[in-house]
Amino acid sequence: MLSAVFASLVLSTVPFSPADAPPHQPPSPLIDFRHLDATLTIEPEKGTVVGELTHTFRSVGQPRSRVTLHLSPAMTLTRVTDGAGKEIKPIRRGDVVVLPLAQPAPTDADSTLKIQWRGAPTGGMHFVTSEMAPARAEVWTQGETMFARGWIPVWDYPNERFTSAMAIRVKKPWVARSIGKLVQVTEDGVYRTYHWAMEQDHVAYLLSLNIGKFLIIEDKADGAGPGGASVPL
């Protein structure tokens, strides 16, 4: 036991990296991403996502003529348009997506991009189907440090922060949880949409969701927000 403790103390004094190791700085987006508003239809048993989002942003320093995002090659971009509805042809290099703008985005006013995409994520979003685990089928995301790009088109470095809203559409009886406050739940036939809003700005890897067959226990205490706690059935 003592030898294990001693070894642990010795290892704790060893530098994590060589003293002459160069720092790894994230690239600058040259864009100030201000808000993300996404609607996702997720099929837990199929392992698929169909999404549409709007990025609200401003240029940094000077008007910029392109926006760079990140998205896994496993995901297909189906349509991208600017705030005027003009279609944009993405330039894709691996998981980097460059979106040329018809007009440079200003620094002192908001611009928007609307993006539609679909696919079967191979990272960042994980599917446990009922065939794999009948007692605990679920969907969950793990974004840190740069895995949000596995399922949603974002600037996927932790040097940019934005507020977000997520509307997550799933078939009943699945329940969708996300970050922020549960604003409302709407129904459309066999589907139910959970509308979540995060008013505190955050980095991309904190975009998260969990989908399962949950029992929701509401907190009735003073000051408790909507949404309650989720208990797997």
Side-chain angles (χ1 to χ4, degrees):
M1 178 67 179
L2 288 175
S3 60
V5 172
F6 178 76
S8 175
L9 290 172
V10 170
L11 288 173
S12 69
T13 65
V14 177
F16 183 76
S17 60
D20 59 350
H24 296 275
Q25 299 293 343
S28 172
L30 302 178
I31 294 292
D32 176 20
F33 292 97
R34 303 170 70 83
H35 185 70
L36 177 152
D37 192 337
T39 298
L40 306 170
T41 298
I42 298 177
E43 299 287 353
E45 296 292 356
K46 296 179 180 179
T48 60
V49 177
V50 177
E52 177 176 302
L53 67 73
T54 298
H55 278 297
T56 301
F57 63 95
R58 296 184 181 189
S59 292
V60 173
Q62 64 187 53
R64 305 291 178 177
S65 59
R66 67 179 188 177
V67 173
T68 300
L69 301 172
H70 302 96
L71 183 65
S72 165
M75 308 301 285
T76 300
L77 289 170
T78 54
R79 193 164 190 257
V80 182
T81 56
D82 63 17
K86 182 178 178 60
E87 192 156 356
I88 295 172
K89 185 176 181 180
I91 301 169
R92 303 197 68 172
R93 303 187 187 99
D95 58 3
V96 175
V97 180
V98 178
L99 303 175
L101 304 177
Q103 298 292 333
T107 61
D108 57 353
D110 289 345
S111 298
T112 59
L113 285 170
K114 181 176 287 187
I115 303 173
Q116 298 174 353
W117 79 101
R118 64 174 60 236
T122 58
M125 180 179 287
H126 306 273
F127 294 81
V128 180
T129 67
S130 56
E131 183 177 350
M132 296 164 62
R136 63 173 192 88
E138 63 179 342
V139 182
W140 54 277
T141 59
Q142 164 55 40
E144 193 175 5
T145 52
M146 296 181 295
F147 298 111
R149 67 188 70 191
W151 58 280
I152 190 168
V154 290
W155 175 261
D156 198 19
Y157 286 99
N159 61 344
E160 187 60 31
R161 305 169 72 93
F162 49 86
T163 56
S164 63
M166 302 269 283
I168 307 164
R169 185 170 178 260
V170 291
K171 285 184 178 177
K172 304 171 186 177
W174 296 89
V175 175
R177 313 289 288 175
S178 189
I179 59 173
K181 297 178 181 179
L182 180 61
V183 178
Q184 64 174 335
V185 180
T186 58
E187 299 196 8
D188 175 21
V190 299
Y191 286 91
R192 186 179 286 133
T193 302
Y194 294 82
H195 301 259
W196 293 84
M198 184 61 175
E199 298 176 355
Q200 173 65 50
D201 59 345
H202 58 86
V203 297
Y205 69 65
L206 290 178
L207 285 169
S208 64
L209 59 85
N210 185 271
I211 298 170
K213 296 176 180 178
F214 301 131
L215 172 66
I216 306 301
I217 300 176
E218 295 291 346
D219 188 347
K220 302 300 184 182
D222 291 341
S230 303
V231 180
L233 294 175

